[in-house]
Amino acid sequence: MDGAWYQRFPKIKIREMKDDYVKFELRETDASMANALRRVILVEVPTIAIDLVEIKANTSVLSDEFIAHRLGLIPLTSERAMNMRFSRDCDACDGDGQCEFCSVEFHLRAKCMTDQTLDVTSKDLISSDHTVVPVDFSGSTGFDSSEQRGITIVKLRQGQELRLRAIARKGIGKDHAKWSPAATVTFMYEPEIHINEDLMESLTLDEKISFVESSPTKVFDIDPRTHQVTVVDAEAYTYDEEVLKKAESMGKPGLVEIYPKEDSFIFTVESTGVFKASQLVLNAIDILKQKLDAVRLSQDTAEVDDQFGELEAHMRGG
């Protein structure tokens, strides 16, 4: 029916949550909303990244441009990003992008004074704002934290020096990948798997084993006592259809039925460390709501314009 609409109230259920990883269910919505959330997480949640580098001294083996590129890709803690201004919109510095409201300044001074190679890392960057610093990955590895000195920028030999000033600004992944807060964001339809027990019981044990092993992932298993085939992990199914092909080759079409739930999705989000993964999802939801509000406002404005147009035509006798 023309003009028909309906309202949904999506629900989220957290499955697993760590500082840099979250897995959750998104239910009672459709694929368009799930994909919109995924794209917002990837490219529209603002973060802070180094955007301008002024090299004062560089006698290393790497060129100025190479070092500037490496600096831009260092993830910076970005909890402050949502409240910062975009440099192009900052009226405090007339869009220059070098004031406290829209930027953070970093300095780096390093010189190798011994015959041992000096590793210059992200921990050597000195920030003007203690809330915006390079992400520390030392606690997320199995190595001794004393050996983790941050992300390597350049290696210096005796007598070599690197001095620079860098400006970090707010941005989004749509403008450049260095502002993307997510390493990976995936979602899949939650699979629904039904086994035809009558057909399954008509198989021999060897045929059941062959059927279970036809799946590349551990979706099915055989009970050692009853020899019944059971679904042990439906979410491991990757929609490869191998088990369906196996059933057909055995002359048992309809042995299993597998179909995706149209309104249920399983998300996995891995952060680069600039936010906690949970905060990244919350920020993305806020931005998505703002975008939907903007669409609703534009529709309301269009309706008002139409009404005024009709009124003006009526007053003119049209």
Side-chain angles (χ1 to χ4, degrees):
M1 182 176 67
D2 293 340
W5 64 278
Y6 61 95
Q7 188 172 12
R8 283 184 163 184
F9 297 93
K11 295 180 176 60
I12 287 180
K13 179 182 178 182
I14 303 296
R15 291 275 195 88
E16 183 181 353
M17 186 165 60
K18 302 176 183 177
D19 283 350
D20 61 348
Y21 175 85
V22 64
K23 183 176 183 179
F24 62 90
E25 300 173 12
L26 178 64
R27 297 182 178 276
E28 298 184 28
T29 187
D30 55 26
S32 64
M33 188 58 66
N35 193 47
L37 178 60
R38 173 183 171 275
R39 293 175 67 88
V40 169
I41 292 173
L42 279 172
V43 299
E44 298 208 39
V45 175
T47 65
I48 303 171
I50 291 175
D51 193 40
L52 175 67
V53 179
E54 179 185 340
I55 304 289
K56 297 182 178 179
N58 176 25
T59 56
S60 72
V61 296
L62 299 184
S63 66
D64 294 356
E65 293 81 3
F66 201 106
I67 291 174
H69 177 70
R70 293 177 69 88
L71 289 169
L73 295 177
I74 293 174
L76 306 176
T77 54
S78 300
E79 287 82 2
R80 186 187 153 199
M82 292 292 283
N83 298 320
M84 284 180 64
R85 303 173 185 173
F86 286 103
S87 58
R88 58 180 177 271
D89 301 327
C90 184
D91 53 7
C93 60
D94 294 328
D96 187 44
Q98 298 191 43
C99 72
E100 60 179 328
F101 300 106
C102 66
S103 67
V104 177
E105 188 171 315
F106 288 85
H107 290 273
L108 187 152
R109 295 173 178 268
K111 186 172 184 178
C112 182
M113 305 299 293
T114 68
D115 58 356
Q116 298 293 321
T117 300
L118 175 64
D119 291 344
V120 181
T121 73
S122 56
K123 290 193 174 181
D124 294 312
L125 287 167
I126 308 302
S127 174
S128 62
D129 185 341
H130 70 279
T131 65
V132 181
V133 295
V135 174
D136 183 7
F137 295 101
S138 60
S140 61
T141 66
F143 299 100
D144 182 3
S145 61
S146 63
E147 299 177 359
Q148 302 299 310
R149 296 203 61 247
I151 300 170
T152 301
I153 300 171
V154 67
K155 294 176 181 286
L156 301 180
R157 293 295 290 173
Q158 187 171 12
Q160 293 181 339
E161 180 183 12
L162 178 63
R163 288 187 290 114
L164 59 86
R165 169 178 171 266
I167 302 296
R169 295 168 178 159
K170 175 180 177 179
I172 59 175
K174 187 182 291 185
D175 296 330
H176 194 286
K178 67 184 177 183
W179 279 299
S180 179
T184 59
V185 183
T186 65
F187 75 87
M188 62 174 286
Y189 286 102
E190 185 176 358
E192 188 84 21
I193 302 178
H194 295 286
I195 298 175
N196 188 320
E197 297 295 345
D198 293 335
L199 283 178
M200 189 62 73
E201 286 305 313
S202 67
L203 301 180
T204 65
L205 179 58
D206 288 340
E207 288 175 328
K208 291 179 180 178
I209 293 173
S210 177
F211 171 79
V212 169
E213 291 178 348
S214 68
S215 176
T217 52
K218 188 71 172 179
V219 178
F220 303 94
D221 201 1
I222 298 178
D223 190 301
R225 293 183 295 105
T226 63
H227 294 168
Q228 286 186 326
V229 176
T230 58
V231 178
V232 292
D233 188 2
E235 292 173 18
Y237 184 67
T238 57
Y239 296 97
D240 48 69
E241 298 188 355
E242 290 298 323
V243 291
L244 301 179
K245 295 175 184 177
K246 182 64 175 178
E248 290 181 2
S249 68
M250 296 167 65
K252 303 289 184 181
L255 184 62
V256 291
E257 292 183 357
I258 304 175
Y259 56 88
K261 295 182 180 179
E262 297 292 339
D263 65 345
S264 183
F265 308 89
I266 301 170
F267 270 79
T268 59
V269 178
E270 184 177 345
S271 169
T272 59
V274 296
F275 296 113
K276 287 186 176 180
S278 56
Q279 187 61 49
L280 172 55
V281 174
L282 291 175
N283 289 352
I285 291 173
D286 285 341
I287 292 170
L288 185 56
K289 288 168 63 178
Q290 292 172 15
K291 293 172 76 69
L292 293 173
D293 287 342
V295 171
R296 185 183 303 136
L297 180 61
S298 65
Q299 290 178 341
D300 292 343
T301 303
E303 291 177 1
V304 171
D305 290 342
D306 290 342
Q307 291 173 0
F308 274 105
E310 293 175 0
L311 178 60
E312 183 178 2
H314 177 72
M315 294 179 67
R316 290 179 178 178

